[in-house]
């Protein structure tokens, strides 16, 4: 395995909030070490699963994997596996398959959003064009399905149901809220489908393939979906960050591409009754939204203004609300190292800056 990949996965559990050095116990640290070891196995499997004999397929499908990633979904799979027998070979396979699915979705997302960068590097369609990027994503979806098929019918059904929701989420994001539907509620459902469903599947896989009790599944699914929505809401805030070296993206990438985000939706609500909000919205629509080639100093100033606006404060508060609800979902589970780590994980999701 690539030594860089080992270093990237080592201590990921700590970075994602599973270890608090000031308050952690020996049992906490042992859990984190076990997850780190599992992540190393997943990292090695990921490198193998994105490998193809065909040269162009091999180059394109490995592109975003080599760019890095937080491996949030594998972490959750490995963590919830400790509600059962721990990290089995089946758990590793499921964690790998779900991360490969996630990687495939990134290729498609960047085409849909016309994104210039992903993880600090030029997006795949910027390098090879839309068609090749879409086909690379399709290859990864096929490889993930092969992995899940090896785990049996239950895994196949989980993968199929999750993939359906991913596509529906992208479809509903693309067409927008229908007349008469609350745009914010429509958007939150899109997040639940596009992000929450896959994170919930990752968490659920740890329960299923470790042989944990069946009654643990529903609380873990609810936790995963809610923490996934919180994760994506914070991404909307991070999109406004002035620190591209931390985020790997140009500030306001989504806004510049015309992608709807929660701060923008909230600003539109406030603009109905607040003149200052209406003025900011007008200027954003003229100089930033859907204008990726606009005057950067002007756009940067407007993005900074939105970042400091109550619409973004609302977005941050909403992310924290979803994270709290995620933690509340864990109440039916036995209290212990796993639930404590999942609580820390939810807190860290909404406090991150990249």
């Amino acid at each position: 395995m690539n030594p860089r990949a080992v270093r990237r996965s080592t201590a990921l559990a700590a970075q994602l909030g599973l270890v608090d050095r000031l308050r952690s116990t020996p049992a906490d640290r042992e859990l984190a070490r076990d997850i780190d070891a599992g992540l190393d196995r997943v990292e090695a499997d990921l490198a193998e699963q994105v490998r193809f004999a065909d040269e162009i397929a091999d180059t394109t499908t490995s592109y975003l994997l080599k760019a890095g990633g937080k491996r949030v979904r594998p972490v959750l799979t490995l963590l919830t596996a400790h509600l059962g027998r721990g990290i089995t070979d089946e758990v590793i396979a499921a964690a790998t398959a779900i991360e490969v699915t996630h990687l495939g979705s990134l290729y498609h997302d960047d085409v849909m959003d016309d994104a210039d960068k992903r993880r600090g590097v030029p997006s795949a369609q910027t390098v090879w064009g839309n068609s090749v990027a879409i086909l690379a994503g399709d290859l990864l979806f096929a490889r993930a399905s092969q992995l899940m098929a090896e785990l049996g019918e239950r895994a196949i059904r989980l993968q199929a149901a999750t993939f359906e929701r991913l596509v529906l989420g992208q479809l509903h994001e693309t067409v927008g809220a229908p007349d008469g539907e609350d745009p914010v509620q429509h958007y939150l459902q899109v997040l639940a489908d596009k992000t929450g469903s896959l994170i919930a599947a990752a968490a659920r896989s740890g329960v299923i393939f470790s042989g944990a009790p069946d009654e643990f599944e529903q609380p873990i699914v609810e936790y995963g979906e809610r923490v996934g929505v919180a994760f994506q809401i914070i991404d909307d805030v991070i999109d406004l960050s002035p620190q591209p070296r931390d985020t790997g993206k140009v500030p306001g990438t989504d806004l510049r591409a015309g992608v709807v985000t929660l701060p923008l939706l909230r600003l539109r609500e406030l603009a109905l009754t607040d003149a200052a909000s209406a003025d900011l919205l007008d200027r954003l629509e003229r100089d930033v939204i859907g204008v990726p080639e606009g005057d950067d100093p002007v756009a940067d100033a407007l993005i900074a203004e939105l970042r400091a606006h109550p619409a973004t404060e609302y977005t941050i508060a909403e992310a924290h609300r979803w994270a709290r609800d995620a933690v509340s979902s864990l109440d039916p589970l036995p209290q212990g190292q796993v639930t404590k780590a999942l609580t820390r994980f939810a807190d860290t999701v909404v406090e991150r800056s990249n």
Side-chain angles (χ1 to χ4, degrees):
M1 183 169 54
N2 186 331
R4 184 168 174 263
V6 174
R7 288 195 297 272
R8 183 172 63 241
S9 63
T10 300
L12 270 175
Q15 294 172 22
L16 290 169
L18 302 184
V19 176
D20 181 333
R21 287 188 169 88
L22 296 178
R23 293 180 293 157
S24 61
T25 66
D28 294 333
R29 292 190 289 273
E30 179 60 31
L31 174 62
R33 283 192 293 270
D34 198 30
I35 291 171
D36 277 335
L39 280 169
D40 287 346
R41 293 178 62 190
V42 170
E43 202 73 44
D45 283 358
L46 285 170
E48 183 64 29
Q49 292 302 323
V50 301
R51 189 171 297 145
F52 287 82
D54 182 272
E55 183 178 353
I56 185 61
D58 186 65
T59 301
T60 54
T61 55
S62 63
Y63 180 67
L64 286 183
L65 179 67
K66 292 176 180 176
K70 290 179 279 294
R71 307 292 185 256
V72 170
R73 292 150 193 83
V75 165
L76 281 176
T77 304
L78 301 174
L79 176 55
T80 58
H82 288 79
L83 292 168
R85 296 191 306 273
I87 299 174
T88 64
D89 290 344
E90 291 80 9
V91 167
I92 294 293
T96 303
I98 288 171
E99 188 67 4
V100 172
T101 301
H102 172 58
L103 281 169
S105 74
L106 298 182
Y107 285 80
H108 285 199
D109 282 354
D110 286 345
V111 171
M112 298 292 294
D113 297 344
D114 196 24
D116 292 331
K117 284 191 174 183
R118 169 70 68 174
R119 296 177 172 174
V121 300
S123 58
Q125 88 275 4
T126 300
V127 179
W128 292 287
N130 286 351
S131 295
V132 171
I134 290 168
L135 292 169
D138 290 345
L139 282 170
L140 290 171
F141 291 141
R143 189 58 61 87
S145 296
Q146 289 176 356
L147 271 173
M148 282 300 210
E150 293 173 3
L151 296 174
E153 182 179 351
R154 191 173 187 189
I156 295 170
R157 289 184 179 277
L158 174 60
Q159 177 77 356
T162 303
F163 191 64
E164 179 180 316
R165 286 192 64 192
L166 290 176
V167 175
L168 285 171
Q170 186 66 67
L171 176 64
H172 293 151
E173 180 180 55
T174 301
V175 301
D179 291 342
E181 183 174 344
D182 180 356
V184 170
Q185 291 307 311
H186 174 87
Y187 182 67
L188 291 174
Q189 185 60 53
V190 166
L191 299 190
D193 288 335
K194 280 191 61 177
T195 302
S197 66
L198 194 57
I199 288 181
R204 186 181 185 186
S205 292
V207 174
I208 293 172
F209 298 110
S210 69
D214 290 345
E215 60 267 26
F216 291 179
E217 275 191 55
Q218 191 55 38
I220 285 296
V221 167
E222 291 177 7
Y223 169 87
E225 185 143 332
R226 290 168 179 171
V227 86
V229 172
F231 184 94
Q232 194 59 51
I233 291 174
I234 284 296
D235 259 9
D236 287 353
V237 177
I238 293 171
D239 181 60
L240 305 176
S241 171
Q243 303 296 332
R245 282 181 295 182
D246 291 339
T247 65
K249 301 194 323 185
V250 174
T253 292
D254 289 342
L255 280 178
R256 296 171 197 259
V259 177
V260 172
T261 63
L262 192 54
L264 178 60
L265 288 173
R266 181 57 176 164
L267 180 65
R268 286 173 177 168
E269 287 183 336
L270 294 173
L272 296 174
T273 56
D274 177 62
S277 296
D279 175 65
L280 174 58
L281 179 60
D282 286 344
R283 288 180 287 130
L284 284 167
E285 289 179 337
R286 183 182 66 240
D287 296 322
V288 179
I289 299 171
V291 191
E293 303 300 326
D295 184 342
D296 283 346
V298 171
D300 289 347
L302 287 170
I303 290 164
E305 197 172 336
L306 177 58
R307 188 168 59 247
H309 193 275
T312 301
E313 294 177 13
Y314 164 87
T315 301
I316 295 170
E318 187 71 1
H320 281 269
R321 183 180 71 82
W322 279 89
R324 287 194 302 272
D325 287 347
V327 171
S328 296
S329 302
L330 302 173
D331 288 347
L333 299 179
Q335 299 303 298
Q337 303 301 323
V338 174
T339 51
K340 183 164 69 170
L342 288 169
T343 299
R344 291 177 182 171
F345 181 90
D347 291 340
T348 302
V349 158
V350 292
E351 292 167 0
R352 65 194 176 91
S353 60
N354 59 42

